[in-house]
Amino acid sequence: SGTPTICKFTVSLAGLSEGAIPISIDTDSKDILGNPVAEKSEIGIIIDMTPPKIKDTQKDIIIAVESDLSQTEIKFGDILHLTAKVEEKNQLAGVADLSEIITGAVDIPFQCTPSRELAESRSVEWQCDIVSSPIDIPGEIERNIKFTFADSSGNIAQITN
């Protein structure tokens, strides 16, 4: 009953390892007005310092033509379907920088959905997809596409393909 309590913590990760740790607010704590905490409260948080992982860039990142997903040679005017399989135990977000082949296509967001549980790593395989605008920058297409994935803890993995 009453107003919810908001507590902000700054935690030094020095000397800590990944996993669950308890955080508590004891009765010797006070709010910003100097009122003491009525009762001790404890919650657990999970420390995650592991970035998202792509095991095999040749197998787990697929860049294909949207109209024929078996076609991986791309040309001017093609609409691309990009798929990345990423391992991560927490929520995942990703973007691709397609600006070398599509005007203004910087940090295009992936749609990431969990595809299967990975029991051996106690993680989840996410499938992340983008359907692009048509390629509109002429010339030979041997440019690199940069993929960036971040988990809900702020760990980042970048891959150029």
Side-chain angles (χ1 to χ4, degrees), residues 131-145:
V131 176
S132 77
S133 301
I135 295 173
D136 66 354
I137 297 179
E140 233 178 281
I141 301 178
E142 291 189 21
R143 298 169 179 97
N144 293 317
I145 296 173

Side-chain angles (χ1 to χ4, degrees), residues 58-78:
Q58 298 301 313
K59 185 177 96 179
D60 293 336
I61 294 181
I62 300 167
I63 302 170
V65 177
E66 174 65 12
S67 60
D68 178 3
L69 295 179
S70 67
Q71 183 181 339
T72 56
E73 295 207 14
I74 59 176
K75 64 187 179 316
F76 185 84
D78 282 344

Side-chain angles (χ1 to χ4, degrees), residues 3 8 37 41 49 56 67 72 115 126-128 130 138 150 154-155:
T3 307
K8 295 182 181 181
V37 171
S41 176
M49 297 182 278
D56 181 351
S67 60
T72 56
S115 60
W126 294 78
Q127 179 165 324
C128 301
I130 291 176
N155 300 305

Side-chain angles (χ1 to χ4, degrees), residues 95-100 102-109:
V95 294
D97 182 350
L98 305 173
S99 63
E100 290 191 23
I102 301 170
T103 304
V106 178
D107 293 340
I108 305 303

Side-chain angles (χ1 to χ4, degrees), residues 2-158:
T3 307
T5 303
I6 298 173
C7 297
K8 295 182 181 181
F9 294 91
T10 302
V11 178
S12 170
L13 297 178
L16 295 177
S17 58
E18 287 202 353
I21 63 167
I23 291 183
S24 63
I25 301 170
D26 215 333
T27 54
D28 62 351
S29 300
K30 295 183 173 145
D31 67 15
I32 59 173
L33 298 175
N35 301 309
V37 171
E39 62 184 62
K40 182 177 180 173
S41 176
E42 188 173 293
I43 62 166
I45 65 167
I46 296 177
I47 296 176
D48 173 15
M49 297 182 278
T50 304
K53 179 169 54 172
I54 294 179
K55 293 181 197 171
D56 181 351
T57 57
Q58 298 301 313
K59 185 177 96 179
D60 293 336
I61 294 181
I62 300 167
I63 302 170
V65 177
E66 174 65 12
S67 60
D68 178 3
L69 295 179
S70 67
Q71 183 181 339
T72 56
E73 295 207 14
I74 59 176
K75 64 187 179 316
F76 185 84
D78 282 344
I79 294 173
L80 302 181
H81 187 124
L82 290 79
T83 299
K85 292 182 180 173
V86 183
E87 185 178 324
E88 173 55 44
K89 57 186 158 191
N90 295 313
Q91 283 293 326
L92 182 72
V95 294
D97 182 350
L98 305 173
S99 63
E100 290 191 23
I101 57 174
I102 301 170
T103 304
V106 178
D107 293 340
I108 305 303
F110 278 97
Q111 295 296 319
C112 295
T113 55
S115 60
R116 67 185 177 108
E117 297 281 330
L118 301 171
E120 69 277 3
S121 62
R122 298 176 63 201
S123 192
V124 174
E125 180 181 86
W126 294 78
Q127 179 165 324
C128 301
D129 294 287
I130 291 176
V131 176
S132 77
S133 301
I135 295 173
D136 66 354
I137 297 179
E140 233 178 281
I141 301 178
E142 291 189 21
R143 298 169 179 97
N144 293 317
I145 296 173
K146 184 170 85 175
F147 299 86
T148 304
F149 296 97
D151 65 19
S152 56
S153 296
N155 300 305
I156 295 174
Q158 289 187 325

